[in-house]
Structures are given as C-alpha cells and as structure tokens.
Amino acid sequence: MKNQQTLLDRAVKINSFKGEPFACWRKAKELRMKVYRDYYEAPEKGGLRFAGGAWGFMALAHGLGDDVKWLSSEPYSASTGHEGQESRRFMDAAEAKGYARDLCG
C-alpha cells in the first residue's frame, strides 16, 4: 500500500508540471504529410511500398534502401479514425473485403 501511495504521489507531481504548447506542431504535420506523400508516390518513382505494424518493420524498410516506403497501420489508423465520413468509407471498404470492423492491425 505504501508503494502505491508513493507512485500516486510521483504521478501527481508529474501531472502538475507547467508546460507550454507544442511549439513545432506545424512542422510535425508537414513531416507526417511527407511520409504519406512518399508512400503514395513510391510506385510512380520506381520504389516499393508496403504496410505493416509499427512494432517490427522499420529496421527492415531502412535496410532495403531509400526507395522503399512503408506505412505502419497503428498511426495511420489513428490519424484517419477521427475523420468521420472518411473513416466510415475505409471501414466499409475493409468490411466489403471480408474484414471485421473491429479488426485490430
């Protein structure tokens, strides 16, 4: 019980840190858009693209060269999931191929 209280006390101290807004949010969005654009344009430029889980394929893609572009499903799903109609369109397309709507990964 004492250890739990100590952890709780530490968490409260961490949460009370006064921060500031994420100063480079615009740059982060630009970099994310570049990843999507590079992935989309890879075949037109003679490159290869593939998708998979973020947990294991980064090293493989980097080892194959700069013309290999990968898209990990977890961040992409998170960034498209809040888009309402677009998200619905993606779910409908996946379901039409036989995948369940609640499929993870």
XYZ file of all heavy atoms in Angstrom:
830
model
N 0.821 -1.192 0.000
C 0.000 0.000 0.000
C 0.862 1.252 0.000
O 0.561 2.207 -0.688
C -0.933 -0.031 1.213
C -1.939 1.079 1.190
S -3.005 0.924 -0.245
C -4.531 1.310 0.465
N 1.971 1.215 0.729
C 2.857 2.375 0.766
C 3.465 2.639 -0.617
O 3.589 3.783 -1.047
C 3.957 2.180 1.801
C 4.847 3.388 1.940
C 5.888 3.212 2.996
C 6.740 4.473 3.046
N 7.830 4.379 3.936
N 3.852 1.575 -1.322
C 4.398 1.730 -2.673
C 3.387 2.350 -3.623
O 3.739 3.168 -4.458
C 4.871 0.390 -3.223
C 6.173 -0.058 -2.588
O 6.878 0.745 -1.991
N 6.466 -1.336 -2.701
N 2.123 1.941 -3.484
C 1.079 2.523 -4.335
C 0.924 4.010 -4.052
O 0.785 4.810 -4.965
C -0.251 1.799 -4.118
C -0.273 0.412 -4.689
C -1.565 -0.299 -4.408
O -2.343 0.101 -3.545
N -1.805 -1.378 -5.134
N 0.988 4.401 -2.798
C 0.864 5.813 -2.446
C 2.054 6.603 -2.981
O 1.909 7.707 -3.481
C 0.744 5.990 -0.922
C 0.474 7.426 -0.505
C -0.828 7.974 -1.093
O -1.843 7.295 -1.111
N -0.778 9.185 -1.591
N 3.242 6.013 -2.908
C 4.439 6.672 -3.421
C 4.313 6.898 -4.929
O 4.614 7.974 -5.438
C 5.697 5.837 -3.118
O 5.793 5.643 -1.710
C 6.949 6.513 -3.623
N 3.842 5.881 -5.648
C 3.644 6.030 -7.086
C 2.605 7.092 -7.391
O 2.772 7.895 -8.315
C 3.230 4.692 -7.709
C 4.308 3.620 -7.766
C 3.711 2.307 -8.251
C 5.443 4.061 -8.663
N 1.536 7.123 -6.613
C 0.493 8.128 -6.812
C 1.044 9.530 -6.558
O 0.805 10.461 -7.322
C -0.698 7.848 -5.893
C -1.883 8.800 -6.004
C -2.414 8.811 -7.428
C -2.970 8.410 -5.041
N 1.833 9.677 -5.499
C 2.437 10.976 -5.202
C 3.340 11.435 -6.337
O 3.330 12.600 -6.729
C 3.244 10.916 -3.900
C 2.355 10.758 -2.672
O 1.151 11.050 -2.766
O 2.883 10.333 -1.627
N 4.117 10.508 -6.888
C 5.000 10.859 -8.008
C 4.189 11.249 -9.233
O 4.538 12.199 -9.933
C 5.921 9.689 -8.341
C 7.016 9.506 -7.304
C 7.844 8.282 -7.527
N 8.454 8.254 -8.850
C 8.946 7.161 -9.402
N 8.909 6.017 -8.752
N 9.488 7.193 -10.594
N 3.112 10.549 -9.497
C 2.275 10.864 -10.654
C 1.660 12.252 -10.515
O 1.586 13.002 -11.486
C 1.182 9.814 -10.816
N 1.236 12.604 -9.322
C 0.650 13.922 -9.092
C 1.686 15.006 -9.357
O 1.409 16.021 -9.980
C 0.082 14.027 -7.658
C -0.279 15.461 -7.325
C -1.130 13.127 -7.517
N 2.915 14.783 -8.925
C 3.977 15.756 -9.175
C 4.248 15.912 -10.672
O 4.436 17.006 -11.165
C 5.255 15.344 -8.453
C 5.188 15.530 -6.961
C 6.463 15.063 -6.301
C 6.301 15.109 -4.786
N 7.457 14.553 -4.096
N 4.247 14.809 -11.385
C 4.484 14.855 -12.830
C 3.351 15.622 -13.509
O 3.586 16.478 -14.356
C 4.612 13.441 -13.420
C 5.910 12.800 -12.931
C 4.573 13.469 -14.941
C 6.026 11.327 -13.238
N 2.110 15.337 -13.145
C 0.970 15.993 -13.775
C 0.873 17.477 -13.450
O 0.210 18.220 -14.155
C -0.334 15.286 -13.386
C -0.445 13.939 -14.051
O 0.118 13.726 -15.116
N -1.168 13.028 -13.434
N 1.516 17.910 -12.388
C 1.429 19.317 -12.032
C 2.498 20.157 -12.726
O 2.584 21.353 -12.502
C 1.518 19.485 -10.512
O 2.784 19.052 -10.059
N 3.310 19.551 -13.578
C 4.330 20.285 -14.313
C 3.660 21.282 -15.250
O 2.755 20.951 -15.997
C 5.195 19.310 -15.113
C 6.165 19.977 -16.046
C 7.315 20.573 -15.553
C 5.925 20.023 -17.400
C 8.213 21.188 -16.401
C 6.820 20.644 -18.255
C 7.960 21.222 -17.754
N 4.106 22.504 -15.217
C 3.549 23.523 -16.092
C 4.335 23.536 -17.391
O 5.528 23.816 -17.414
C 3.602 24.872 -15.406
C 2.739 24.918 -14.158
C 2.364 26.336 -13.831
C 1.593 26.474 -12.567
N 0.497 25.663 -12.316
N 3.684 23.230 -18.469
C 4.335 23.169 -19.767
C 3.873 24.292 -20.674
O 3.242 25.248 -20.235
N 4.182 24.142 -21.923
C 3.761 25.116 -22.919
C 3.271 24.351 -24.137
O 3.553 23.169 -24.295
C 4.906 26.050 -23.280
C 6.099 25.352 -23.879
C 7.240 26.314 -24.144
O 7.621 27.040 -23.217
O 7.745 26.338 -25.274
N 2.561 25.017 -25.022
C 2.060 24.322 -26.215
C 3.204 23.751 -27.059
O 4.320 24.257 -27.033
C 1.338 25.432 -26.986
C 1.035 26.471 -25.977
C 2.128 26.393 -24.948
N 2.898 22.721 -27.769
C 3.855 22.059 -28.648
C 4.262 23.050 -29.739
O 3.496 23.364 -30.641
C 3.202 20.813 -29.239
C 4.117 19.902 -29.984
C 5.382 19.623 -29.523
C 3.688 19.301 -31.147
C 6.221 18.765 -30.214
C 4.512 18.439 -31.848
C 5.779 18.176 -31.380
N 5.467 23.576 -29.648
C 5.916 24.676 -30.498
C 6.100 24.287 -31.969
O 6.004 25.131 -32.839
C 7.216 25.259 -29.948
N 6.367 23.029 -32.240
C 6.649 22.649 -33.628
C 5.536 21.777 -34.220
O 5.793 20.916 -35.049
C 8.005 21.960 -33.719
S 8.172 20.526 -32.676
N 4.291 22.003 -33.802
C 3.159 21.210 -34.286
C 3.045 21.275 -35.806
O 2.844 20.279 -36.475
C 1.871 21.698 -33.638
C 0.687 20.887 -34.016
C -0.358 21.285 -34.804
C 0.395 19.534 -33.652
N -1.262 20.274 -34.949
C -0.828 19.185 -34.245
C 1.067 18.593 -32.876
C -1.391 17.939 -34.092
C 0.487 17.343 -32.727
C -0.722 17.030 -33.327
N 3.195 22.476 -36.382
C 3.084 22.629 -37.833
C 4.151 21.778 -38.544
O 3.863 21.109 -39.526
C 3.218 24.086 -38.234
C 3.081 24.314 -39.734
C 3.219 25.777 -40.096
N 2.261 26.607 -39.414
C 1.058 26.925 -39.877
N 0.671 26.452 -41.035
N 0.240 27.692 -39.193
N 5.374 21.800 -38.049
C 6.451 21.009 -38.655
C 6.161 19.509 -38.534
O 6.408 18.741 -39.471
C 7.798 21.348 -37.996
C 8.968 20.669 -38.650
C 9.154 21.126 -40.079
C 10.404 20.542 -40.689
N 10.573 20.907 -42.086
N 5.621 19.091 -37.411
C 5.258 17.684 -37.229
C 4.214 17.262 -38.265
O 4.297 16.167 -38.836
C 4.732 17.451 -35.817
N 3.236 18.123 -38.518
C 2.203 17.822 -39.520
C 2.820 17.755 -40.920
O 2.436 16.913 -41.726
C 1.104 18.885 -39.486
C 0.320 18.907 -38.192
C -0.391 17.618 -37.968
C -1.863 17.841 -37.942
N -2.625 16.623 -37.846
N 3.757 18.660 -41.223
C 4.428 18.640 -42.522
C 5.201 17.336 -42.714
O 5.159 16.739 -43.795
C 5.401 19.819 -42.642
C 4.739 21.160 -42.782
C 5.748 22.305 -42.703
O 6.976 22.052 -42.796
O 5.296 23.449 -42.530
N 5.912 16.908 -41.689
C 6.681 15.669 -41.779
C 5.772 14.457 -41.961
O 6.067 13.546 -42.733
C 7.565 15.499 -40.544
C 8.708 16.508 -40.423
C 9.379 16.374 -39.056
C 9.719 16.335 -41.538
N 4.648 14.433 -41.243
C 3.694 13.323 -41.380
C 3.123 13.307 -42.801
O 2.988 12.272 -43.420
C 2.582 13.471 -40.333
C 1.464 12.472 -40.406
C 1.820 11.019 -40.423
N 2.801 10.584 -39.480
C 3.453 9.419 -39.572
N 3.189 8.582 -40.543
N 4.345 9.081 -38.699
N 2.804 14.486 -43.352
C 2.273 14.562 -44.709
C 3.310 14.071 -45.720
O 2.964 13.420 -46.706
C 1.907 16.015 -44.999
C 0.705 16.242 -45.849
S -0.670 15.176 -45.502
C -1.057 14.763 -47.162
N 4.592 14.344 -45.474
C 5.657 13.866 -46.354
C 5.716 12.342 -46.356
O 5.907 11.720 -47.400
C 7.004 14.453 -45.937
C 8.146 14.030 -46.852
C 9.453 14.634 -46.411
C 10.628 14.225 -47.280
N 10.602 12.956 -47.928
N 5.535 11.743 -45.192
C 5.520 10.271 -45.115
C 4.391 9.717 -45.982
O 4.600 8.787 -46.770
C 5.356 9.790 -43.653
C 5.041 8.310 -43.589
C 6.597 10.109 -42.853
N 3.191 10.298 -45.873
C 2.053 9.831 -46.672
C 2.286 10.072 -48.162
O 1.990 9.230 -48.997
C 0.758 10.525 -46.236
C 0.295 10.147 -44.855
C -0.433 11.049 -44.087
C 0.559 8.905 -44.298
C -0.880 10.709 -42.818
C 0.135 8.564 -43.032
C -0.595 9.475 -42.303
O -1.037 9.154 -41.051
N 2.828 11.232 -48.506
C 3.083 11.558 -49.914
C 4.133 10.621 -50.502
O 3.964 10.105 -51.612
C 3.536 13.007 -50.053
C 3.552 13.497 -51.489
C 3.911 14.961 -51.632
N 3.060 15.824 -50.833
C 3.464 16.481 -49.737
N 4.705 16.386 -49.301
N 2.632 17.248 -49.064
N 5.222 10.391 -49.771
C 6.274 9.486 -50.249
C 5.732 8.078 -50.456
O 6.066 7.404 -51.431
C 7.451 9.444 -49.271
C 8.276 10.716 -49.279
O 8.073 11.570 -50.174
O 9.118 10.862 -48.374
N 4.891 7.633 -49.547
C 4.290 6.305 -49.657
C 3.407 6.223 -50.899
O 3.487 5.276 -51.676
C 3.481 6.002 -48.397
C 2.875 4.618 -48.380
C 3.629 3.525 -48.003
C 1.551 4.411 -48.732
C 3.087 2.251 -47.980
C 0.996 3.145 -48.714
C 1.771 2.073 -48.341
O 1.226 0.817 -48.320
N 2.587 7.239 -51.093
C 1.660 7.274 -52.238
C 2.413 7.304 -53.569
O 2.032 6.627 -54.524
C 0.746 8.500 -52.107
C -0.240 8.644 -53.227
C -1.412 7.895 -53.244
C -0.009 9.526 -54.269
C -2.333 8.024 -54.276
C -0.917 9.659 -55.306
C -2.068 8.912 -55.306
O -2.962 9.037 -56.330
N 3.481 8.074 -53.628
C 4.205 8.278 -54.883
C 5.294 7.239 -55.148
O 5.885 7.242 -56.225
C 4.829 9.679 -54.891
C 3.805 10.786 -54.894
C 4.424 12.166 -54.742
O 5.649 12.260 -54.468
O 3.684 13.155 -54.894
N 5.573 6.361 -54.231
C 6.676 5.399 -54.387
C 6.600 4.610 -55.691
O 7.605 4.538 -56.414
C 6.745 4.461 -53.181
N 5.464 4.012 -56.052
C 5.437 3.241 -57.300
C 5.703 4.103 -58.539
O 6.362 3.651 -59.472
C 4.011 2.665 -57.348
C 3.544 2.678 -55.946
C 4.203 3.875 -55.318
N 5.208 5.335 -58.543
C 5.436 6.227 -59.682
C 6.915 6.541 -59.862
O 7.361 6.836 -60.967
C 4.674 7.544 -59.482
C 3.175 7.392 -59.423
C 2.485 8.667 -58.969
O 3.155 9.716 -58.859
O 1.275 8.608 -58.722
N 7.662 6.487 -58.767
C 9.090 6.809 -58.795
C 9.965 5.563 -58.839
O 11.172 5.634 -58.621
C 9.448 7.654 -57.572
C 8.739 8.997 -57.567
C 9.083 9.787 -56.332
C 8.422 11.154 -56.369
N 8.737 11.940 -55.186
N 9.347 4.399 -59.105
C 10.108 3.158 -59.195
C 10.414 2.513 -57.858
O 11.216 1.596 -57.778
N 9.763 2.985 -56.808
C 10.008 2.451 -55.479
C 9.032 1.358 -55.102
O 8.133 1.005 -55.856
N 9.220 0.840 -53.939
C 8.384 -0.224 -53.404
C 7.708 0.295 -52.145
O 8.293 1.078 -51.397
C 9.273 -1.431 -53.058
C 8.626 -2.628 -52.398
C 7.675 -3.314 -53.378
C 9.691 -3.600 -51.929
N 6.492 -0.102 -51.914
C 5.820 0.285 -50.674
C 5.143 -0.932 -50.052
O 4.741 -1.863 -50.736
C 4.818 1.406 -50.905
C 3.672 1.044 -51.784
C 2.771 2.241 -51.990
N 1.683 1.898 -52.889
C 0.818 2.762 -53.342
N 0.897 4.015 -52.995
N -0.142 2.383 -54.144
N 5.071 -0.900 -48.741
C 4.379 -1.962 -48.023
C 3.838 -1.402 -46.722
O 4.231 -0.324 -46.281
C 5.283 -3.183 -47.786
C 6.409 -2.951 -46.827
C 6.278 -3.294 -45.495
C 7.603 -2.404 -47.258
C 7.318 -3.093 -44.607
C 8.651 -2.207 -46.383
C 8.507 -2.547 -45.059
N 2.911 -2.115 -46.133
C 2.301 -1.692 -44.877
C 2.438 -2.819 -43.871
O 2.498 -3.990 -44.237
C 0.833 -1.340 -45.082
N 2.460 -2.454 -42.608
C 2.563 -3.445 -41.553
C 2.539 -2.772 -40.203
O 2.390 -1.557 -40.112
N 2.678 -3.534 -39.166
C 2.675 -2.990 -37.820
C 3.925 -2.177 -37.531
O 5.007 -2.473 -38.036
N 3.762 -1.155 -36.733
C 4.894 -0.277 -36.402
C 5.923 -0.985 -35.533
O 7.058 -0.548 -35.442
C 4.381 0.970 -35.678
N 5.567 -2.066 -34.922
C 6.423 -2.728 -33.946
C 7.631 -3.412 -34.546
O 8.590 -3.675 -33.854
C 5.611 -3.753 -33.164
C 4.868 -4.695 -34.053
C 3.583 -4.556 -34.485
C 5.357 -5.878 -34.669
N 3.248 -5.569 -35.331
C 4.315 -6.419 -35.458
C 6.563 -6.554 -34.640
C 4.455 -7.573 -36.198
C 6.697 -7.714 -35.378
C 5.640 -8.216 -36.139
N 7.666 -3.719 -35.832
C 8.782 -4.517 -36.270
C 9.374 -4.250 -37.628
O 10.439 -4.753 -37.932
N 8.742 -3.473 -38.466
C 9.193 -3.389 -39.848
C 10.093 -2.198 -40.169
O 10.611 -2.099 -41.263
C 7.984 -3.369 -40.788
C 7.239 -4.661 -40.799
C 5.991 -4.767 -40.226
C 7.807 -5.792 -41.364
C 5.306 -5.967 -40.229
C 7.131 -7.000 -41.378
C 5.882 -7.088 -40.805
N 10.266 -1.275 -39.240
C 11.076 -0.093 -39.542
C 12.494 -0.453 -39.949
O 13.010 0.046 -40.939
C 11.102 0.856 -38.344
C 9.826 1.628 -38.181
S 9.973 2.966 -36.998
C 10.221 2.094 -35.484
N 13.144 -1.311 -39.189
C 14.528 -1.678 -39.483
C 14.620 -2.354 -40.849
O 15.546 -2.082 -41.615
C 15.078 -2.585 -38.392
N 13.683 -3.214 -41.166
C 13.681 -3.900 -42.452
C 13.584 -2.892 -43.592
O 14.361 -2.940 -44.545
C 12.520 -4.893 -42.524
C 12.320 -5.588 -43.858
C 13.537 -6.437 -44.205
C 11.061 -6.426 -43.836
N 12.655 -1.955 -43.496
C 12.474 -0.967 -44.560
C 13.714 -0.106 -44.740
O 14.149 0.153 -45.861
C 11.271 -0.085 -44.250
N 14.319 0.326 -43.664
C 15.509 1.162 -43.755
C 16.687 0.389 -44.340
O 17.529 0.965 -45.025
C 15.867 1.742 -42.393
C 14.905 2.787 -41.945
N 14.814 4.020 -42.535
C 13.970 2.775 -40.975
C 13.872 4.729 -41.947
N 13.336 3.990 -40.996
N 16.724 -0.890 -44.112
C 17.808 -1.706 -44.638
C 17.701 -1.989 -46.125
O 18.672 -2.356 -46.764
N 16.515 -1.797 -46.698
C 16.309 -2.074 -48.125
C 16.586 -0.881 -49.022
O 16.609 -1.015 -50.234
C 14.876 -2.579 -48.351
C 14.564 -3.927 -47.716
C 13.098 -4.268 -47.879
C 15.439 -5.027 -48.313
N 16.742 0.315 -48.457
C 17.069 1.489 -49.267
C 16.047 2.601 -49.151
O 14.959 2.426 -48.615
N 16.419 3.738 -49.705
C 15.572 4.929 -49.609
C 14.335 4.871 -50.500
O 13.409 5.657 -50.322
C 16.374 6.185 -49.967
C 17.416 6.508 -48.913
O 17.238 6.086 -47.752
O 18.405 7.173 -49.255
N 14.329 3.975 -51.491
C 13.169 3.906 -52.377
C 12.095 2.944 -51.860
O 11.092 2.722 -52.523
C 13.595 3.517 -53.789
C 14.263 2.158 -53.848
O 14.747 1.685 -52.798
O 14.318 1.580 -54.938
N 12.284 2.394 -50.679
C 11.279 1.535 -50.056
C 10.541 2.355 -49.006
O 11.142 2.894 -48.082
C 11.921 0.291 -49.404
C 10.874 -0.547 -48.691
C 12.652 -0.528 -50.444
N 9.240 2.497 -49.179
C 8.416 3.304 -48.275
C 7.433 2.402 -47.559
O 6.824 1.523 -48.159
C 7.651 4.379 -49.047
C 8.521 5.277 -49.889
C 9.510 6.030 -49.042
C 10.422 6.891 -49.902
N 11.473 7.520 -49.157
N 7.282 2.594 -46.292
C 6.371 1.766 -45.505
C 5.400 2.647 -44.747
O 5.674 3.802 -44.465
C 7.125 0.844 -44.573
C 7.796 1.545 -43.451
C 8.945 2.270 -43.497
C 7.338 1.625 -42.112
N 9.235 2.776 -42.272
C 8.266 2.409 -41.409
C 6.233 1.116 -41.441
C 8.130 2.690 -40.060
C 6.107 1.395 -40.103
C 7.037 2.163 -39.422
N 4.265 2.091 -44.450
C 3.236 2.775 -43.693
C 2.785 1.837 -42.584
O 2.344 0.721 -42.858
C 2.052 3.116 -44.605
C 0.946 3.944 -44.002
C 1.448 5.353 -43.689
C -0.216 4.040 -44.970
N 2.950 2.261 -41.357
C 2.532 1.411 -40.239
C 1.056 1.658 -39.953
O 0.580 2.788 -40.000
C 3.388 1.669 -39.002
O 3.304 3.011 -38.610
N 0.353 0.611 -39.680
C -1.100 0.697 -39.574
C -1.580 1.446 -38.333
O -2.605 2.133 -38.377
C -1.712 -0.703 -39.610
O -1.147 -1.507 -38.586
N -0.845 1.368 -37.234
C -1.349 1.975 -35.996
C -1.466 3.501 -36.084
O -2.548 4.047 -35.834
C -0.485 1.583 -34.792
C -0.452 0.102 -34.497
C 0.670 -0.624 -35.229
O 1.249 -0.076 -36.176
O 0.965 -1.758 -34.833
N -0.400 4.227 -36.442
C -0.548 5.687 -36.533
C -1.494 6.113 -37.650
O -2.230 7.083 -37.515
C 0.868 6.193 -36.807
C 1.781 5.083 -36.505
C 0.987 3.819 -36.606
N -1.473 5.382 -38.771
C -2.361 5.736 -39.878
C -3.819 5.560 -39.472
O -4.654 6.413 -39.749
C -2.049 4.898 -41.113
C -2.858 5.303 -42.310
C -2.621 6.521 -42.931
C -3.858 4.492 -42.801
C -3.370 6.914 -44.028
C -4.610 4.877 -43.891
C -4.359 6.085 -44.506
O -5.121 6.472 -45.583
N -4.109 4.481 -38.777
C -5.475 4.253 -38.304
C -5.912 5.338 -37.336
O -7.044 5.825 -37.394
C -5.580 2.894 -37.622
O -5.292 1.871 -38.532
N -5.009 5.739 -36.460
C -5.341 6.796 -35.503
C -5.597 8.122 -36.202
O -6.520 8.854 -35.849
C -4.218 6.954 -34.481
N -4.804 8.432 -37.218
C -4.964 9.719 -37.879
C -6.167 9.746 -38.813
O -6.709 10.805 -39.087
C -3.689 10.118 -38.626
O -3.392 9.206 -39.645
N -6.616 8.598 -39.305
C -7.807 8.593 -40.165
C -9.083 8.274 -39.383
O -10.167 8.583 -39.851
C -7.671 7.569 -41.309
O -7.472 6.268 -40.751
C -6.537 7.930 -42.222
N -8.939 7.695 -38.207
C -10.105 7.266 -37.434
C -11.026 8.382 -36.991
O -12.219 8.179 -36.817
N -10.489 9.572 -36.831
C -11.314 10.683 -36.356
C -11.944 11.482 -37.493
O -12.605 12.477 -37.267
C -10.472 11.619 -35.482
C -9.571 12.519 -36.258
N -8.406 12.074 -36.813
C -9.695 13.822 -36.580
C -7.831 13.081 -37.452
N -8.583 14.151 -37.331
N -11.777 11.038 -38.725
C -12.228 11.805 -39.879
C -13.690 11.567 -40.287
O -14.070 11.933 -41.386
C -11.316 11.524 -41.084
C -9.945 12.099 -40.953
C -9.947 13.617 -40.942
O -10.840 14.233 -41.542
O -9.048 14.178 -40.301
N -14.469 10.953 -39.451
C -15.899 10.810 -39.720
C -16.224 10.054 -40.991
O -16.105 8.836 -41.051
N -16.645 10.779 -42.029
C -17.066 10.155 -43.284
C -15.934 9.365 -43.937
O -16.158 8.297 -44.487
C -17.586 11.222 -44.260
C -18.883 11.856 -43.831
C -20.037 10.844 -43.819
O -19.964 9.751 -44.392
N -21.107 11.206 -43.150
N -14.730 9.898 -43.894
C -13.582 9.197 -44.486
C -13.327 7.889 -43.746
O -13.090 6.851 -44.347
C -12.350 10.102 -44.443
C -11.214 9.619 -45.272
C -11.442 9.748 -46.773
O -12.463 10.304 -47.209
O -10.599 9.262 -47.516
N -13.409 7.941 -42.435
C -13.230 6.741 -41.624
C -14.297 5.708 -41.976
O -14.007 4.519 -42.125
C -13.300 7.109 -40.148
O -13.201 5.955 -39.356
N -15.516 6.165 -42.115
C -16.635 5.271 -42.474
C -16.385 4.617 -43.830
O -16.618 3.435 -44.025
C -17.927 6.080 -42.478
C -19.143 5.365 -42.940
C -19.544 4.291 -41.955
N -20.699 3.603 -42.427
C -21.739 3.313 -41.684
N -21.742 3.645 -40.422
N -22.741 2.668 -42.173
N -15.863 5.396 -44.785
C -15.570 4.873 -46.124
C -14.503 3.779 -46.041
O -14.620 2.729 -46.686
C -15.100 6.017 -47.025
C -14.984 5.649 -48.486
C -14.722 6.876 -49.341
N -13.425 7.449 -49.116
C -12.298 7.035 -49.707
N -12.326 6.023 -50.543
N -11.160 7.639 -49.458
N -13.466 3.999 -45.225
C -12.415 2.997 -45.061
C -12.969 1.728 -44.415
O -12.641 0.617 -44.823
C -11.269 3.538 -44.214
C -10.458 4.625 -44.881
C -9.770 5.545 -44.129
C -10.382 4.729 -46.258
C -9.012 6.541 -44.726
C -9.640 5.718 -46.875
C -8.952 6.626 -46.107
N -13.792 1.898 -43.378
C -14.372 0.724 -42.704
C -15.275 -0.059 -43.643
O -15.256 -1.295 -43.657
C -15.130 1.153 -41.452
C -14.218 1.601 -40.332
S -15.059 1.836 -38.750
C -16.133 3.206 -39.115
N -16.070 0.645 -44.443
C -16.946 -0.029 -45.405
C -16.137 -0.822 -46.436
O -16.488 -1.951 -46.790
C -17.854 0.981 -46.117
C -18.939 1.539 -45.218
O -19.195 0.961 -44.137
O -19.527 2.584 -45.590
N -15.037 -0.231 -46.916
C -14.195 -0.915 -47.901
C -13.566 -2.168 -47.298
O -13.527 -3.225 -47.936
C -13.112 0.034 -48.409
N -13.085 -2.071 -46.060
C -12.483 -3.231 -45.400
C -13.523 -4.319 -45.162
O -13.265 -5.504 -45.396
C -11.840 -2.817 -44.078
N -14.699 -3.911 -44.733
C -15.769 -4.879 -44.472
C -16.200 -5.564 -45.773
O -16.478 -6.763 -45.787
C -16.951 -4.176 -43.814
C -17.967 -5.129 -43.237
C -19.023 -4.412 -42.423
O -19.401 -3.280 -42.776
O -19.468 -5.007 -41.430
N -16.230 -4.831 -46.879
C -16.594 -5.411 -48.169
C -15.590 -6.477 -48.607
O -15.939 -7.400 -49.343
C -16.690 -4.312 -49.231
N -14.351 -6.373 -48.133
C -13.320 -7.377 -48.448
C -13.347 -8.553 -47.477
O -12.543 -9.457 -47.565
C -11.933 -6.730 -48.399
C -11.725 -5.661 -49.442
C -11.431 -6.283 -50.774
C -11.067 -5.203 -51.774
N -10.808 -5.748 -53.081
N -14.258 -8.492 -46.486
C -14.390 -9.603 -45.555
C -13.752 -9.399 -44.184
O -13.756 -10.314 -43.369
N -13.193 -8.216 -43.936
C -12.583 -7.932 -42.637
C -13.613 -7.363 -41.680
O -14.500 -6.602 -42.082
C -11.433 -6.924 -42.778
C -10.289 -7.449 -43.607
C -10.158 -7.093 -44.932
C -9.343 -8.304 -43.055
C -9.109 -7.578 -45.707
C -8.297 -8.788 -43.807
C -8.181 -8.416 -45.142
O -7.150 -8.889 -45.887
N -13.498 -7.714 -40.418
C -14.419 -7.199 -39.411
C -14.094 -5.738 -39.109
O -12.941 -5.317 -39.173
C -14.308 -8.024 -38.122
N -15.115 -4.953 -38.770
C -14.913 -3.525 -38.451
C -14.032 -3.329 -37.232
O -13.350 -2.325 -37.115
C -16.252 -2.850 -38.202
C -17.009 -2.571 -39.446
C -18.286 -1.794 -39.124
N -18.975 -1.502 -40.350
C -18.870 -0.364 -41.003
N -18.120 0.574 -40.536
N -19.510 -0.189 -42.127
N -14.085 -4.256 -36.308
C -13.324 -4.091 -35.075
C -11.965 -4.801 -35.138
O -11.320 -5.002 -34.124
C -14.124 -4.578 -33.881
C -14.500 -6.060 -33.981
O -14.257 -6.670 -35.035
O -15.031 -6.593 -33.011
N -11.506 -5.127 -36.339
C -10.220 -5.778 -36.506
C -9.100 -4.832 -36.086
O -9.075 -3.671 -36.467
C -10.024 -6.161 -37.973
C -8.704 -6.827 -38.326
C -8.615 -8.200 -37.678
C -8.565 -6.947 -39.822
N -8.197 -5.317 -35.303
C -7.068 -4.507 -34.857
C -5.837 -4.939 -35.625
O -5.421 -6.083 -35.560
C -6.828 -4.677 -33.362
S -5.420 -3.735 -32.765
N -5.207 -3.978 -36.318
C -3.996 -4.298 -37.067
C -4.349 -4.852 -38.366
O -3.917 -4.884 -39.350
